[in-house]
Amino acid sequence: MSSLRHVAIIMDGNGRWAEAHGVPRAEGHRQGSLQVETVLDAAGKLGIKYVTLYAFSTENWKRSPAEVLALMKLLEQFSTERLPRMMEKNIRLRVIGRITDIPLFARQKLLEAVEKTSKNDGNVLTLALSYGGRAEIVDAVNRILAEKNDGKITEESFRNYLYAPDIPDPDLLIRTSGELRLSNFLLWELAYSEIYVTDVLWPDFGEEELKKAVEAFNRRDRRFGGRTK
Ligand code: FPP
């Protein structure tokens, strides 16, 4: 039995996929967004309860206005079109990040889907949006300061100020498209996660690819800094 409860994914390579297929970047992102459901279904079959996807970083705002808009439209579409399936499959949608940065037309639909799925107790899909690992830590510190907390902060109490303290840390981080970077993703939460990088581009990453990642994870010997034998 795998001890894999939570997989976090840096979905990279939509642009390269588009280039390789001679289509606009936005089409690469569209294919990428279609892949989300495939991977979510596959994760469900493999008994993985939590899937967290890096859908838009704090740095992604620097992309061209047209590309940002295309991504926001995909988010709106995803939130409305996938909602019935999420309800049917008892999936809960959550979001982490500076959500108020998201334009209202997309944010409304997103938060509606979050609210409507909030009582679902099956698998949990968390979208990281306008998300940065440093921003998350800074936001946590500011909340602590605002509370004028006189007591000492511990690692355990600090966690309560993160965006989703109740979600267990990822066991496995997957990055598609070959880059060997964390790119400011879940800096606190990934402290002990196993890392799996594949050259496969995100729009080509499906059930078989996820299985390969899980098999690689199952061969690892996780020690969390200590020794188990
Ligand atoms: C990286 O590809 C991917 C992103 C910046 C965004 C990820 C977004 C999606 C998969 C679609 C939207 C998702 C949802 C849930 C609506 P890149 O453009 O950096 O690729 P490149 O490095 O090859 O150029």
Side-chain angles (χ1 to χ4, degrees), residues 10-12 29 53-63 68 71-72 96-98 101-102 127-135 175 182-186:
I10 300 177
M11 307 182 287
D12 198 8
H29 292 314
L53 302 176
Y54 206 2
F56 196 90
S57 72
T58 46
E59 289 72 31
N60 285 156
W61 294 112
K62 294 185 205 130
R63 295 198 176 193
V68 169
L71 283 163
M72 293 302 138
I96 53 172
R98 291 182 169 167
D101 293 349
I102 304 289
L127 295 180
L129 288 160
S130 195
Y131 177 88
R134 289 184 175 178
R175 180 164 190 149
L182 284 184
S183 297
N184 202 14
F185 192 37
L186 303 176

Side-chain angles (χ1 to χ4, degrees), residues 21 29 82 121 123 134 138 158 165 187 198 207 220 222:
H21 289 77
H29 292 314
R82 298 292 112 202
D121 60 3
N123 292 346
R134 289 184 175 178
V138 167
F158 187 81
L187 295 182
T198 171
E207 182 168 356
R220 307 264 178 102
R222 297 185 81 195

Side-chain angles (χ1 to χ4, degrees), residues 58-163:
T58 46
E59 289 72 31
N60 285 156
W61 294 112
K62 294 185 205 130
R63 295 198 176 193
S64 77
E67 187 171 349
V68 169
L69 182 62
L71 283 163
M72 293 302 138
K73 282 187 177 162
L74 282 174
L75 176 64
E76 180 201 17
Q77 251 178 29
F78 181 87
S79 307
T80 45
E81 289 172 13
R82 298 292 112 202
L83 179 59
R85 293 270 288 170
M86 287 193 270
M87 292 310 290
E88 208 177 287
K89 293 179 177 170
N90 194 24
I91 291 171
R92 180 173 176 194
L93 178 68
R94 297 183 60 167
V95 284
I96 53 172
R98 291 182 169 167
I99 303 308
T100 49
D101 293 349
I102 304 289
L104 196 62
F105 78 91
R107 197 186 342 143
Q108 267 175 345
K109 300 294 177 197
L110 174 72
L111 294 179
E112 228 172 85
V114 167
E115 168 59 27
K116 290 203 167 121
T117 62
S118 64
K119 302 228 158 42
N120 292 351
D121 60 3
N123 292 346
V124 178
L125 168 64
T126 303
L127 295 180
L129 288 160
S130 195
Y131 177 88
R134 289 184 175 178
E136 179 175 24
I137 292 169
V138 167
D139 286 353
V141 170
N142 280 323
R143 284 180 54 210
I144 293 167
L145 291 174
E147 280 183 14
K148 293 202 198 327
N149 200 318
D150 299 329
K152 279 229 165 32
I153 287 289
T154 63
E155 289 188 14
E156 287 70 32
S157 66
F158 187 81
R159 168 181 296 276
N160 293 325
Y161 293 89
L162 295 172
Y163 294 141

